[in-house]
Amino acid sequence: MAVKRLLIDGRLVETGRTFSSLNPATGEVLGEAPDATVADAEAAVEAARRAFDTTRWATDREFRVKCLNQLYQALNKHKEDLRELTIAEVGAPRVSTHGAGLDEPIELVRYYADLVAGLPETEELGEIEVRGQRHRRWVEKLPAGVVTAITAYNYPTQLALAKLAPALAAGCTVVLKGAPDTPLITLALGELIASDTEIPPGVVNVLTSSEIAVGEVLTTHPGVDMVTFTGSTPTGRKIMAAASETVKKVFLELGGKSAMIVLDDADFGLAAMVASFTICSHSGQGCAITSRMLVPRAHHDAIVEQVAAMLGQVRYGDPSDADNYMGPLISERQRDKVDAMVKRAVEAGATLVTGGEKVDPGYYYKPTLLSNVDPSSEVAQEEVFGPVLAVIPFDDDDDAVRIANDSIYGLSGGVYGADQERALSVARRIRTGTIGVNGGAWFAPDAPFGGFKQSGIGREMGVAGLEEFQERKTLAVVVA
């Protein structure tokens, strides 16, 4: 695979050094990515600053819509190439690329092009009388400015476009930094922007780097107005602290430890199936995945037996094979982390029902079920980011709510029960940004996504996702 290039100030550029991207299904080198330096990061920020301050991008909404539609067409034109790259670099099973792995993120671009084209740019507040004069007041929605967008490895196209599309629609300019584990797919987006759209030089800049210092530039540079980051909560805390030095606007989409609550009147077989296939979705590498299954204490053993049977039916292996539902973890480092957490959970008293094994070659880990998990234990409190489901017993509805909310996270969750009103009542008490009842699907371009507590600040997607990249200016004139 040819070495891809950075996009800086409208030019596709190579650097004097590269780093390898590995295929997680084999552990072999897939390709080389340019290893951006601090100087490259500074050049990208300066280009974005210049494009925002001196071009028509921030003020010409019609032109922005045109360019977003060009990007949408380009993504669809090259979709199959992007699909194969996503499978090879991310380890995403083919089936997932027809959803959140690729196809659904592409639709975000069209959604925001259509949304911004139809939204009013001003909000009238009406007139007031002050000292005998009438004053007309209104609010104008303006772009936040230069945005640095830093993404994680698990869904690189979704995470990039969920930031890029609304930021561009709002009139911002962007420096996008891809995750070191999945640089090639992010660089491919930059190449499409450069070759297939009229987006002006500097409006979008795309970097990949193995240097921590590059991320530090992007979060502290005085030319940056806003930082948006998706990744772990510990890293999010550091970014928030770094951005505070220049009081940047910060938008964080961080970790989760979401709970699926199975009430005593639920269809246990259905809940077991959903829990099993959800935890194996992209090998558990999803921040909103329900990795805690809360079950009635009296039915704990029966439900665990059903979940174990379902996990045994999950096909895993080569992600390019359409028959496989689960692929590998992203790296040996991540697999070692998952395996170590499982071992510590067993040492702490949890029961290993099935799984808990590495599978070679590649970075595969068997679907894993832990039962009788203490809700205060590490595996119940910390994000594993692997195919590991922790089953926790509860006594009644109040106990289930207490356990679900006993977390620093508050991203997502689910409730299952035959009495929908009761299930909804429980769901409303869970402090999370999204939640599904009896399998209700909330994920869509128009639905705001984000979390409470240490799961983040702000919302992606929907109108709220656009507003994150806007500032409001209140104006007034004397009319009489």
Side-chain angles (χ1 to χ4, degrees):
M1 182 178 292
V3 175
K4 294 189 177 293
R5 294 167 290 177
L6 308 175
L7 176 60
I8 301 177
D9 204 10
R11 295 178 296 109
L12 293 171
V13 298
E14 297 182 9
T15 62
R17 59 184 193 173
T18 63
F19 65 100
S20 298
S21 176
L22 303 183
N23 181 334
T26 64
E28 298 174 352
V29 174
L30 177 65
E32 298 295 321
D35 200 359
T37 64
V38 166
D40 293 322
E42 290 173 342
V45 171
E46 290 163 6
R49 182 81 264 166
R50 185 167 56 252
F52 184 81
D53 292 339
T54 66
T55 74
R56 60 173 171 152
W57 185 258
T59 57
D60 192 336
R61 178 169 65 171
E62 185 177 341
F63 178 56
R64 297 199 302 270
V65 170
K66 175 184 178 182
C67 289
L68 281 169
N69 283 322
Q70 289 172 345
L71 177 57
Y72 176 72
Q73 292 164 8
L75 289 165
N76 277 294
K77 177 181 176 183
H78 297 278
K79 183 189 290 185
E80 295 313 311
D81 290 335
L82 294 172
R83 190 182 315 282
E84 297 307 317
L85 180 55
T86 300
I87 293 168
E89 185 177 46
V90 185
R94 186 172 296 277
V95 65
S96 75
T97 67
H98 292 282
L102 181 65
D103 290 2
E104 290 175 0
I106 289 174
E107 294 305 312
L108 280 169
V109 180
R110 182 173 67 175
Y111 169 78
Y112 278 109
D114 293 345
L115 177 67
V116 75
L119 283 181
E121 293 183 293
T122 62
E123 176 187 348
E124 290 290 337
L125 298 179
E127 295 184 6
I128 59 172
E129 183 174 323
V130 179
R131 294 185 292 275
Q133 292 182 311
R134 300 295 298 173
H135 300 257
R136 175 196 164 213
R137 304 157 305 133
W138 70 98
V139 176
E140 294 184 357
K141 299 176 183 178
L142 305 172
V146 174
V147 175
T148 56
I150 304 172
T151 61
Y153 65 76
N154 54 336
Y155 290 95
T157 302
Q158 163 68 30
L159 301 179
L161 294 181
K163 299 178 188 305
L164 196 59
L168 295 180
C172 298
T173 58
V174 182
V175 180
L176 171 65
K177 180 182 178 294
D181 285 312
T182 54
L184 304 181
I185 189 68
T186 306
L187 293 168
L189 296 179
E191 292 184 346
L192 290 184
I193 288 168
S195 62
D196 289 38
T197 77
E198 296 175 51
I199 294 175
V203 169
V204 178
N205 305 270
V206 181
L207 304 177
T208 55
S209 180
S210 64
E211 267 198 56
I212 294 176
V214 166
E216 291 173 348
V217 169
L218 299 182
T219 55
T220 61
H221 196 294
V224 172
D225 300 297
M226 175 178 172
V227 179
T228 171
F229 167 76
T230 297
S232 73
T233 293
T235 302
R237 294 186 194 115
K238 294 177 182 177
I239 286 175
M240 191 173 182
S244 70
E245 291 296 321
T246 46
V247 198
K248 301 185 191 307
K249 189 174 184 180
V250 177
F251 169 28
L252 305 173
E253 202 278 281
L254 306 175
K257 195 65 185 177
S258 302
M260 173 192 286
I261 299 176
V262 182
L263 300 177
D264 55 16
D265 65 344
D267 181 334
F268 295 157
L270 173 63
M273 181 185 69
V274 173
S276 301
F277 282 87
T278 298
I279 197 62
C280 293
S281 175
H282 198 14
S283 303
Q285 297 172 117
C287 53
I289 286 175
T290 45
S291 55
R292 293 182 294 162
M293 186 180 192
L294 278 52
V295 304
R297 192 176 301 277
H299 302 283
H300 174 277
D301 293 350
I303 294 173
V304 165
E305 185 177 342
Q306 289 179 295
V307 174
M310 289 291 178
L311 284 176
Q313 297 179 31
V314 175
R315 291 194 55 167
Y316 64 90
D318 181 1
S320 67
D321 184 341
D323 290 332
N324 287 329
Y325 179 77
M326 190 181 93
L329 291 169
I330 192 64
S331 66
E332 186 67 44
R333 179 184 67 255
Q334 180 61 21
R335 186 170 69 166
D336 285 345
K337 176 201 167 188
V338 171
D339 190 52
M341 290 187 74
V342 170
K343 285 180 168 59
R344 289 196 298 271
V346 173
E347 291 171 359
T351 301
L352 177 60
V353 180
T354 187
E357 299 175 41
K358 299 179 181 180
V359 180
D360 297 318
Y363 309 130
Y364 296 94
Y365 198 75
K366 281 189 176 182
T368 299
L369 178 62
L370 296 168
S371 67
N372 289 302
V373 173
D374 183 333
S376 64
S377 65
E378 178 194 43
V379 78
Q381 292 290 326
E382 298 299 326
E383 194 170 37
V384 179
F385 233 57
V388 179
L389 181 63
V391 180
I392 303 170
F394 66 83
D395 296 319
D396 54 26
D397 291 6
D398 289 343
D399 194 35
V401 170
R402 179 189 63 79
I403 293 170
N405 286 334
D406 181 21
S407 171
I408 65 169
Y409 302 110
L411 190 55
S412 192
V415 180
Y416 283 78
D419 182 338
Q420 183 164 293
E421 285 307 310
R422 175 190 174 194
L424 277 169
S425 176
V426 170
R428 290 190 174 104
R429 295 167 65 191
I430 308 303
R431 290 185 51 75
T432 60
T434 58
I435 194 162
V437 174
N438 290 324
W442 46 262
F443 189 81
D446 62 345
F449 172 68
F452 291 13
K453 300 186 279 186
Q454 293 188 40
S455 281
I457 299 171
R459 294 293 182 269
E460 282 187 336
M461 303 195 295
V463 175
L466 176 69
E467 292 175 340
E468 293 291 344
F469 297 97
Q470 293 177 321
E471 295 282 12
R472 286 170 169 74
K473 177 183 285 188
T474 303
L475 296 93
V477 296
V478 176
V479 294

PDB file of all heavy atoms in Angstrom, residues 54-81:
ATOM      1  N   THR A  54      -9.398  34.978   6.618  1.00  0.00           N
ATOM      2  CA  THR A  54      -9.208  35.719   5.364  1.00  0.00           C
ATOM      3  C   THR A  54     -10.015  35.206   4.186  1.00  0.00           C
ATOM      4  O   THR A  54     -10.029  35.860   3.140  1.00  0.00           O
ATOM      5  CB  THR A  54      -7.722  35.730   4.963  1.00  0.00           C
ATOM      6  OG1 THR A  54      -7.301  34.399   4.644  1.00  0.00           O
ATOM      7  CG2 THR A  54      -6.851  36.291   6.081  1.00  0.00           C
ATOM      8  N   THR A  55     -10.675  34.055   4.299  1.00  0.00           N
ATOM      9  CA  THR A  55     -11.457  33.558   3.158  1.00  0.00           C
ATOM     10  C   THR A  55     -12.938  33.716   3.442  1.00  0.00           C
ATOM     11  O   THR A  55     -13.356  34.091   4.541  1.00  0.00           O
ATOM     12  CB  THR A  55     -11.149  32.077   2.864  1.00  0.00           C
ATOM     13  OG1 THR A  55     -11.769  31.245   3.864  1.00  0.00           O
ATOM     14  CG2 THR A  55      -9.648  31.809   2.852  1.00  0.00           C
ATOM     15  N   ARG A  56     -13.756  33.365   2.467  1.00  0.00           N
ATOM     16  CA  ARG A  56     -15.211  33.497   2.608  1.00  0.00           C
ATOM     17  C   ARG A  56     -15.840  32.297   3.306  1.00  0.00           C
ATOM     18  O   ARG A  56     -17.068  32.251   3.455  1.00  0.00           O
ATOM     19  CB  ARG A  56     -15.843  33.672   1.223  1.00  0.00           C
ATOM     20  CG  ARG A  56     -15.590  32.508   0.260  1.00  0.00           C
ATOM     21  CD  ARG A  56     -16.374  32.678  -1.025  1.00  0.00           C
ATOM     22  NE  ARG A  56     -15.996  31.703  -2.033  1.00  0.00           N
ATOM     23  CZ  ARG A  56     -16.818  31.265  -3.000  1.00  0.00           C
ATOM     24  NH1 ARG A  56     -18.049  31.720  -3.062  1.00  0.00           N
ATOM     25  NH2 ARG A  56     -16.403  30.398  -3.900  1.00  0.00           N
ATOM     26  N   TRP A  57     -15.016  31.336   3.734  1.00  0.00           N
ATOM     27  CA  TRP A  57     -15.580  30.109   4.275  1.00  0.00           C
ATOM     28  C   TRP A  57     -16.542  30.369   5.439  1.00  0.00           C
ATOM     29  O   TRP A  57     -17.635  29.797   5.507  1.00  0.00           O
ATOM     30  CB  TRP A  57     -14.457  29.174   4.729  1.00  0.00           C
ATOM     31  CG  TRP A  57     -14.992  27.848   5.183  1.00  0.00           C
ATOM     32  CD1 TRP A  57     -15.163  27.411   6.456  1.00  0.00           C
ATOM     33  CD2 TRP A  57     -15.483  26.802   4.336  1.00  0.00           C
ATOM     34  NE1 TRP A  57     -15.721  26.162   6.462  1.00  0.00           N
ATOM     35  CE2 TRP A  57     -15.925  25.761   5.185  1.00  0.00           C
ATOM     36  CE3 TRP A  57     -15.586  26.645   2.957  1.00  0.00           C
ATOM     37  CZ2 TRP A  57     -16.457  24.571   4.686  1.00  0.00           C
ATOM     38  CZ3 TRP A  57     -16.127  25.464   2.458  1.00  0.00           C
ATOM     39  CH2 TRP A  57     -16.549  24.452   3.310  1.00  0.00           C
ATOM     40  N   ALA A  58     -16.164  31.229   6.362  1.00  0.00           N
ATOM     41  CA  ALA A  58     -16.974  31.455   7.563  1.00  0.00           C
ATOM     42  C   ALA A  58     -18.274  32.195   7.264  1.00  0.00           C
ATOM     43  O   ALA A  58     -19.222  32.119   8.057  1.00  0.00           O
ATOM     44  CB  ALA A  58     -16.160  32.223   8.602  1.00  0.00           C
ATOM     45  N   THR A  59     -18.340  32.890   6.146  1.00  0.00           N
ATOM     46  CA  THR A  59     -19.492  33.756   5.880  1.00  0.00           C
ATOM     47  C   THR A  59     -20.373  33.306   4.722  1.00  0.00           C
ATOM     48  O   THR A  59     -21.492  33.790   4.587  1.00  0.00           O
ATOM     49  CB  THR A  59     -19.000  35.188   5.578  1.00  0.00           C
ATOM     50  OG1 THR A  59     -18.094  35.147   4.469  1.00  0.00           O
ATOM     51  CG2 THR A  59     -18.291  35.777   6.799  1.00  0.00           C
ATOM     52  N   ASP A  60     -19.899  32.385   3.890  1.00  0.00           N
ATOM     53  CA  ASP A  60     -20.647  31.987   2.693  1.00  0.00           C
ATOM     54  C   ASP A  60     -21.287  30.617   2.902  1.00  0.00           C
ATOM     55  O   ASP A  60     -20.707  29.576   2.581  1.00  0.00           O
ATOM     56  CB  ASP A  60     -19.706  31.959   1.482  1.00  0.00           C
ATOM     57  CG  ASP A  60     -20.458  31.849   0.161  1.00  0.00           C
ATOM     58  OD1 ASP A  60     -21.593  31.360   0.164  1.00  0.00           O
ATOM     59  OD2 ASP A  60     -19.882  32.233  -0.888  1.00  0.00           O
ATOM     60  N   ARG A  61     -22.477  30.619   3.442  1.00  0.00           N
ATOM     61  CA  ARG A  61     -23.144  29.361   3.761  1.00  0.00           C
ATOM     62  C   ARG A  61     -23.446  28.554   2.500  1.00  0.00           C
ATOM     63  O   ARG A  61     -23.286  27.319   2.496  1.00  0.00           O
ATOM     64  CB  ARG A  61     -24.438  29.632   4.534  1.00  0.00           C
ATOM     65  CG  ARG A  61     -25.203  28.361   4.860  1.00  0.00           C
ATOM     66  CD  ARG A  61     -26.329  28.589   5.839  1.00  0.00           C
ATOM     67  NE  ARG A  61     -27.380  29.442   5.296  1.00  0.00           N
ATOM     68  CZ  ARG A  61     -28.548  29.649   5.909  1.00  0.00           C
ATOM     69  NH1 ARG A  61     -28.793  29.072   7.081  1.00  0.00           N
ATOM     70  NH2 ARG A  61     -29.465  30.432   5.374  1.00  0.00           N
ATOM     71  N   GLU A  62     -23.871  29.202   1.451  1.00  0.00           N
ATOM     72  CA  GLU A  62     -24.200  28.489   0.214  1.00  0.00           C
ATOM     73  C   GLU A  62     -22.989  27.732  -0.330  1.00  0.00           C
ATOM     74  O   GLU A  62     -23.094  26.588  -0.780  1.00  0.00           O
ATOM     75  CB  GLU A  62     -24.724  29.481  -0.827  1.00  0.00           C
ATOM     76  CG  GLU A  62     -25.199  28.826  -2.113  1.00  0.00           C
ATOM     77  CD  GLU A  62     -25.787  29.818  -3.092  1.00  0.00           C
ATOM     78  OE1 GLU A  62     -26.153  30.934  -2.658  1.00  0.00           O
ATOM     79  OE2 GLU A  62     -25.880  29.489  -4.283  1.00  0.00           O
ATOM     80  N   PHE A  63     -21.823  28.357  -0.248  1.00  0.00           N
ATOM     81  CA  PHE A  63     -20.599  27.717  -0.720  1.00  0.00           C
ATOM     82  C   PHE A  63     -20.249  26.517   0.164  1.00  0.00           C
ATOM     83  O   PHE A  63     -19.837  25.462  -0.323  1.00  0.00           O
ATOM     84  CB  PHE A  63     -19.458  28.740  -0.732  1.00  0.00           C
ATOM     85  CG  PHE A  63     -18.137  28.176  -1.169  1.00  0.00           C
ATOM     86  CD1 PHE A  63     -18.003  27.534  -2.393  1.00  0.00           C
ATOM     87  CD2 PHE A  63     -17.017  28.286  -0.360  1.00  0.00           C
ATOM     88  CE1 PHE A  63     -16.775  27.014  -2.809  1.00  0.00           C
ATOM     89  CE2 PHE A  63     -15.790  27.781  -0.746  1.00  0.00           C
ATOM     90  CZ  PHE A  63     -15.672  27.138  -1.970  1.00  0.00           C
ATOM     91  N   ARG A  64     -20.442  26.663   1.466  1.00  0.00           N
ATOM     92  CA  ARG A  64     -20.151  25.554   2.373  1.00  0.00           C
ATOM     93  C   ARG A  64     -21.048  24.352   2.069  1.00  0.00           C
ATOM     94  O   ARG A  64     -20.591  23.205   2.074  1.00  0.00           O
ATOM     95  CB  ARG A  64     -20.334  25.989   3.833  1.00  0.00           C
ATOM     96  CG  ARG A  64     -19.396  27.085   4.276  1.00  0.00           C
ATOM     97  CD  ARG A  64     -19.284  27.149   5.775  1.00  0.00           C
ATOM     98  NE  ARG A  64     -20.532  27.365   6.480  1.00  0.00           N
ATOM     99  CZ  ARG A  64     -21.035  28.555   6.784  1.00  0.00           C
ATOM    100  NH1 ARG A  64     -20.386  29.658   6.414  1.00  0.00           N
ATOM    101  NH2 ARG A  64     -22.163  28.669   7.466  1.00  0.00           N
ATOM    102  N   VAL A  65     -22.319  24.609   1.832  1.00  0.00           N
ATOM    103  CA  VAL A  65     -23.246  23.530   1.503  1.00  0.00           C
ATOM    104  C   VAL A  65     -22.813  22.836   0.219  1.00  0.00           C
ATOM    105  O   VAL A  65     -22.841  21.592   0.123  1.00  0.00           O
ATOM    106  CB  VAL A  65     -24.678  24.075   1.388  1.00  0.00           C
ATOM    107  CG1 VAL A  65     -25.622  23.017   0.808  1.00  0.00           C
ATOM    108  CG2 VAL A  65     -25.182  24.538   2.748  1.00  0.00           C
ATOM    109  N   LYS A  66     -22.405  23.615  -0.755  1.00  0.00           N
ATOM    110  CA  LYS A  66     -21.930  23.041  -2.024  1.00  0.00           C
ATOM    111  C   LYS A  66     -20.738  22.118  -1.780  1.00  0.00           C
ATOM    112  O   LYS A  66     -20.680  20.989  -2.307  1.00  0.00           O
ATOM    113  CB  LYS A  66     -21.541  24.170  -2.985  1.00  0.00           C
ATOM    114  CG  LYS A  66     -20.930  23.683  -4.295  1.00  0.00           C
ATOM    115  CD  LYS A  66     -20.472  24.853  -5.155  1.00  0.00           C
ATOM    116  CE  LYS A  66     -19.814  24.374  -6.438  1.00  0.00           C
ATOM    117  NZ  LYS A  66     -19.320  25.530  -7.252  1.00  0.00           N
ATOM    118  N   CYS A  67     -19.788  22.565  -0.974  1.00  0.00           N
ATOM    119  CA  CYS A  67     -18.588  21.768  -0.713  1.00  0.00           C
ATOM    120  C   CYS A  67     -18.910  20.509   0.092  1.00  0.00           C
ATOM    121  O   CYS A  67     -18.329  19.439  -0.153  1.00  0.00           O
ATOM    122  CB  CYS A  67     -17.548  22.614   0.021  1.00  0.00           C
ATOM    123  SG  CYS A  67     -16.794  23.902  -1.000  1.00  0.00           S
ATOM    124  N   LEU A  68     -19.824  20.613   1.042  1.00  0.00           N
ATOM    125  CA  LEU A  68     -20.222  19.431   1.809  1.00  0.00           C
ATOM    126  C   LEU A  68     -20.889  18.399   0.905  1.00  0.00           C
ATOM    127  O   LEU A  68     -20.657  17.190   1.044  1.00  0.00           O
ATOM    128  CB  LEU A  68     -21.170  19.822   2.942  1.00  0.00           C
ATOM    129  CG  LEU A  68     -20.509  20.430   4.183  1.00  0.00           C
ATOM    130  CD1 LEU A  68     -21.562  21.023   5.101  1.00  0.00           C
ATOM    131  CD2 LEU A  68     -19.687  19.389   4.928  1.00  0.00           C
ATOM    132  N   ASN A  69     -21.696  18.851  -0.022  1.00  0.00           N
ATOM    133  CA  ASN A  69     -22.324  17.923  -0.965  1.00  0.00           C
ATOM    134  C   ASN A  69     -21.278  17.275  -1.880  1.00  0.00           C
ATOM    135  O   ASN A  69     -21.406  16.103  -2.241  1.00  0.00           O
ATOM    136  CB  ASN A  69     -23.400  18.633  -1.785  1.00  0.00           C
ATOM    137  CG  ASN A  69     -24.688  18.837  -0.996  1.00  0.00           C
ATOM    138  OD1 ASN A  69     -25.085  17.967  -0.217  1.00  0.00           O
ATOM    139  ND2 ASN A  69     -25.343  19.975  -1.176  1.00  0.00           N
ATOM    140  N   GLN A  70     -20.248  18.024  -2.238  1.00  0.00           N
ATOM    141  CA  GLN A  70     -19.155  17.431  -3.022  1.00  0.00           C
ATOM    142  C   GLN A  70     -18.442  16.343  -2.213  1.00  0.00           C
ATOM    143  O   GLN A  70     -18.100  15.285  -2.748  1.00  0.00           O
ATOM    144  CB  GLN A  70     -18.151  18.519  -3.424  1.00  0.00           C
ATOM    145  CG  GLN A  70     -18.666  19.486  -4.471  1.00  0.00           C
ATOM    146  CD  GLN A  70     -17.701  20.648  -4.698  1.00  0.00           C
ATOM    147  OE1 GLN A  70     -16.798  20.882  -3.883  1.00  0.00           O
ATOM    148  NE2 GLN A  70     -17.899  21.377  -5.780  1.00  0.00           N
ATOM    149  N   LEU A  71     -18.224  16.613  -0.934  1.00  0.00           N
ATOM    150  CA  LEU A  71     -17.574  15.620  -0.079  1.00  0.00           C
ATOM    151  C   LEU A  71     -18.450  14.380   0.054  1.00  0.00           C
ATOM    152  O   LEU A  71     -17.949  13.245   0.007  1.00  0.00           O
ATOM    153  CB  LEU A  71     -17.297  16.218   1.302  1.00  0.00           C
ATOM    154  CG  LEU A  71     -16.685  15.274   2.345  1.00  0.00           C
ATOM    155  CD1 LEU A  71     -15.378  14.671   1.838  1.00  0.00           C
ATOM    156  CD2 LEU A  71     -16.466  16.003   3.669  1.00  0.00           C
ATOM    157  N   TYR A  72     -19.736  14.573   0.196  1.00  0.00           N
ATOM    158  CA  TYR A  72     -20.667  13.445   0.284  1.00  0.00           C
ATOM    159  C   TYR A  72     -20.592  12.584  -0.981  1.00  0.00           C
ATOM    160  O   TYR A  72     -20.536  11.342  -0.902  1.00  0.00           O
ATOM    161  CB  TYR A  72     -22.086  13.972   0.496  1.00  0.00           C
ATOM    162  CG  TYR A  72     -23.149  12.900   0.512  1.00  0.00           C
ATOM    163  CD1 TYR A  72     -23.256  12.023   1.592  1.00  0.00           C
ATOM    164  CD2 TYR A  72     -24.047  12.765  -0.543  1.00  0.00           C
ATOM    165  CE1 TYR A  72     -24.233  11.030   1.617  1.00  0.00           C
ATOM    166  CE2 TYR A  72     -25.029  11.784  -0.532  1.00  0.00           C
ATOM    167  CZ  TYR A  72     -25.106  10.918   0.549  1.00  0.00           C
ATOM    168  OH  TYR A  72     -26.068   9.939   0.564  1.00  0.00           O
ATOM    169  N   GLN A  73     -20.577  13.228  -2.132  1.00  0.00           N
ATOM    170  CA  GLN A  73     -20.488  12.491  -3.388  1.00  0.00           C
ATOM    171  C   GLN A  73     -19.157  11.748  -3.504  1.00  0.00           C
ATOM    172  O   GLN A  73     -19.111  10.596  -3.967  1.00  0.00           O
ATOM    173  CB  GLN A  73     -20.669  13.453  -4.559  1.00  0.00           C
ATOM    174  CG  GLN A  73     -22.080  14.038  -4.662  1.00  0.00           C
ATOM    175  CD  GLN A  73     -22.160  15.258  -5.567  1.00  0.00           C
ATOM    176  OE1 GLN A  73     -21.196  15.612  -6.252  1.00  0.00           O
ATOM    177  NE2 GLN A  73     -23.313  15.914  -5.558  1.00  0.00           N
ATOM    178  N   ALA A  74     -18.080  12.383  -3.070  1.00  0.00           N
ATOM    179  CA  ALA A  74     -16.763  11.749  -3.142  1.00  0.00           C
ATOM    180  C   ALA A  74     -16.693  10.524  -2.232  1.00  0.00           C
ATOM    181  O   ALA A  74     -16.123   9.485  -2.607  1.00  0.00           O
ATOM    182  CB  ALA A  74     -15.678  12.757  -2.761  1.00  0.00           C
ATOM    183  N   LEU A  75     -17.252  10.645  -1.027  1.00  0.00           N
ATOM    184  CA  LEU A  75     -17.239   9.515  -0.099  1.00  0.00           C
ATOM    185  C   LEU A  75     -18.019   8.338  -0.667  1.00  0.00           C
ATOM    186  O   LEU A  75     -17.600   7.177  -0.542  1.00  0.00           O
ATOM    187  CB  LEU A  75     -17.829   9.943   1.245  1.00  0.00           C
ATOM    188  CG  LEU A  75     -16.957  10.889   2.078  1.00  0.00           C
ATOM    189  CD1 LEU A  75     -17.779  11.527   3.190  1.00  0.00           C
ATOM    190  CD2 LEU A  75     -15.767  10.155   2.662  1.00  0.00           C
ATOM    191  N   ASN A  76     -19.127   8.614  -1.302  1.00  0.00           N
ATOM    192  CA  ASN A  76     -19.906   7.535  -1.910  1.00  0.00           C
ATOM    193  C   ASN A  76     -19.203   6.944  -3.126  1.00  0.00           C
ATOM    194  O   ASN A  76     -19.236   5.730  -3.339  1.00  0.00           O
ATOM    195  CB  ASN A  76     -21.304   8.037  -2.285  1.00  0.00           C
ATOM    196  CG  ASN A  76     -22.265   8.011  -1.117  1.00  0.00           C
ATOM    197  OD1 ASN A  76     -22.613   6.942  -0.615  1.00  0.00           O
ATOM    198  ND2 ASN A  76     -22.680   9.179  -0.656  1.00  0.00           N
ATOM    199  N   LYS A  77     -18.561   7.777  -3.899  1.00  0.00           N
ATOM    200  CA  LYS A  77     -17.827   7.305  -5.082  1.00  0.00           C
ATOM    201  C   LYS A  77     -16.721   6.336  -4.696  1.00  0.00           C
ATOM    202  O   LYS A  77     -16.466   5.344  -5.381  1.00  0.00           O
ATOM    203  CB  LYS A  77     -17.248   8.509  -5.831  1.00  0.00           C
ATOM    204  CG  LYS A  77     -16.409   8.149  -7.045  1.00  0.00           C
ATOM    205  CD  LYS A  77     -15.855   9.401  -7.701  1.00  0.00           C
ATOM    206  CE  LYS A  77     -14.939   9.063  -8.868  1.00  0.00           C
ATOM    207  NZ  LYS A  77     -14.340  10.305  -9.464  1.00  0.00           N
ATOM    208  N   HIS A  78     -16.053   6.613  -3.586  1.00  0.00           N
ATOM    209  CA  HIS A  78     -14.913   5.796  -3.159  1.00  0.00           C
ATOM    210  C   HIS A  78     -15.272   4.881  -1.983  1.00  0.00           C
ATOM    211  O   HIS A  78     -14.380   4.377  -1.299  1.00  0.00           O
ATOM    212  CB  HIS A  78     -13.755   6.718  -2.763  1.00  0.00           C
ATOM    213  CG  HIS A  78     -13.248   7.551  -3.896  1.00  0.00           C
ATOM    214  ND1 HIS A  78     -12.355   7.073  -4.835  1.00  0.00           N
ATOM    215  CD2 HIS A  78     -13.510   8.842  -4.249  1.00  0.00           C
ATOM    216  CE1 HIS A  78     -12.086   8.020  -5.715  1.00  0.00           C
ATOM    217  NE2 HIS A  78     -12.772   9.108  -5.385  1.00  0.00           N
ATOM    218  N   LYS A  79     -16.562   4.665  -1.774  1.00  0.00           N
ATOM    219  CA  LYS A  79     -17.008   3.938  -0.580  1.00  0.00           C
ATOM    220  C   LYS A  79     -16.417   2.531  -0.488  1.00  0.00           C
ATOM    221  O   LYS A  79     -16.003   2.097   0.593  1.00  0.00           O
ATOM    222  CB  LYS A  79     -18.530   3.860  -0.559  1.00  0.00           C
ATOM    223  CG  LYS A  79     -19.075   3.191   0.694  1.00  0.00           C
ATOM    224  CD  LYS A  79     -20.570   2.926   0.599  1.00  0.00           C
ATOM    225  CE  LYS A  79     -21.372   4.189   0.644  1.00  0.00           C
ATOM    226  NZ  LYS A  79     -22.841   3.936   0.661  1.00  0.00           N
ATOM    227  N   GLU A  80     -16.366   1.810  -1.588  1.00  0.00           N
ATOM    228  CA  GLU A  80     -15.888   0.423  -1.517  1.00  0.00           C
ATOM    229  C   GLU A  80     -14.401   0.354  -1.208  1.00  0.00           C
ATOM    230  O   GLU A  80     -13.958  -0.550  -0.490  1.00  0.00           O
ATOM    231  CB  GLU A  80     -16.242  -0.327  -2.795  1.00  0.00           C
ATOM    232  CG  GLU A  80     -17.737  -0.489  -3.011  1.00  0.00           C
ATOM    233  CD  GLU A  80     -18.476  -0.969  -1.749  1.00  0.00           C
ATOM    234  OE1 GLU A  80     -18.029  -1.952  -1.128  1.00  0.00           O
ATOM    235  OE2 GLU A  80     -19.494  -0.336  -1.376  1.00  0.00           O
ATOM    236  N   ASP A  81     -13.633   1.296  -1.723  1.00  0.00           N
ATOM    237  CA  ASP A  81     -12.211   1.354  -1.357  1.00  0.00           C
ATOM    238  C   ASP A  81     -12.065   1.671   0.130  1.00  0.00           C
ATOM    239  O   ASP A  81     -11.226   1.077   0.825  1.00  0.00           O
ATOM    240  CB  ASP A  81     -11.478   2.414  -2.182  1.00  0.00           C
ATOM    241  CG  ASP A  81     -11.344   2.019  -3.649  1.00  0.00           C
ATOM    242  OD1 ASP A  81     -11.373   0.805  -3.938  1.00  0.00           O
ATOM    243  OD2 ASP A  81     -11.209   2.924  -4.489  1.00  0.00           O
TER     244      ASP A  81
END
